[in-house]
């Protein structure tokens, strides 16, 4: 929707909270691996029942450890 257009214009999908499935697509990793890395990175955000991953923290962590 409108938020995606706005993000594209600013080029800022950096601080995004994404779903587990979205992060699996971004990283091309399986969900159990993504979950493990996200908790190692302290990138997990639980909002109500929703499980979200802070994309920037997650990817920074992966770069630091595996880069």
């Amino acid at each position: 929707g409108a938020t995606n257009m706005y993000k594209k214009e600013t080029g800022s999908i950096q601080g995004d909270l994404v779903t587990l499935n979205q992060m699996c697509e971004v990283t091309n990793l399986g969900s159990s691996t993504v979950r493990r890395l996200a908790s190692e990175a302290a990138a997990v955000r639980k909002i109500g029942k929703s499980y979200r991953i802070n994309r920037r923290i997650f990817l920074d962590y992966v770069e630091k450890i595996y880069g």
Side-chain angles (χ1 to χ4, degrees), residues 2 5-6 17 24-25 29-31 36-37 41-42 53-54 62-63:
M5 266 166 50
Y6 173 71
L17 293 179
C24 291
E25 283 173 28
L29 296 167
S31 60
R36 181 173 52 78
L37 287 170
I53 298 167
N54 183 304
V62 169
E63 271 307 300

Side-chain angles (χ1 to χ4, degrees), residues 3-63:
T3 54
N4 282 347
M5 266 166 50
Y6 173 71
K7 283 196 188 115
K8 269 204 192 82
E9 286 166 12
T10 60
S12 151
I13 43 178
Q14 283 304 340
D16 240 4
L17 293 179
V18 297
T19 64
L20 183 60
N21 286 340
Q22 286 171 320
M23 194 47 96
C24 291
E25 283 173 28
V26 167
T27 57
N28 204 21
L29 296 167
S31 60
S32 53
T33 305
V34 169
R35 268 184 191 271
R36 181 173 52 78
L37 287 170
S39 67
E40 282 175 17
V44 176
R45 301 293 176 265
K46 287 234 170 76
I47 301 152
K49 291 196 177 96
S50 303
Y51 178 95
R52 294 289 180 275
I53 298 167
N54 183 304
R55 181 188 173 113
R56 183 174 41 82
I57 294 172
F58 182 96
L59 295 175
D60 285 353
Y61 175 80
V62 169
E63 271 307 300

